[in-house]
Amino acid sequence: METNELKFKTNINCGGCVSKVKPFLDNLEGVEAWEVDTDNVDKILTVKTKIADEDIIDTIEEVGFKAELIQ
């Protein structure tokens, strides 16, 4: 499966929030790299991944945040 770059609108809005999701995204099989642009009004999460967007959304929601795929 090829690597895709997916972007999500989130409510991960500060460094503390990023540190909460970090261990979950770092350990998610198929995620190669990720970052959250907390300066962007939509708090854009960019993920380089080989897994489905639903798996990333489920992981983010598991930690207590929201994520919505941006087309």
Side-chain angles (χ1 to χ4, degrees):
M1 186 178 221
E2 68 182 63
T3 300
N4 294 313
E5 184 173 279
L6 303 176
K7 293 189 181 287
F8 302 86
K9 180 178 175 180
T10 73
N11 62 344
I12 301 169
N13 58 15
C14 67
C17 300
V18 171
S19 68
K20 287 180 186 162
V21 299
K22 183 176 181 3
F24 292 87
L25 288 176
D26 285 352
N27 294 320
L28 194 57
E29 183 96 17
V31 171
E32 295 175 4
W34 64 275
E35 66 179 2
V36 180
D37 182 357
T38 56
D39 293 332
N40 185 302
V41 68
D42 289 332
K43 312 302 177 200
I44 303 299
L45 167 66
T46 304
V47 183
K48 289 187 179 172
T49 183
K50 294 182 177 181
I51 60 173
D53 56 282
E54 294 91 0
D55 295 332
I56 294 167
I57 292 170
D58 289 346
T59 300
I60 297 296
E61 289 179 348
E62 218 175 88
V63 189
F65 295 98
K66 295 184 177 128
E68 176 188 335
L69 184 66
I70 299 170
Q71 298 299 338

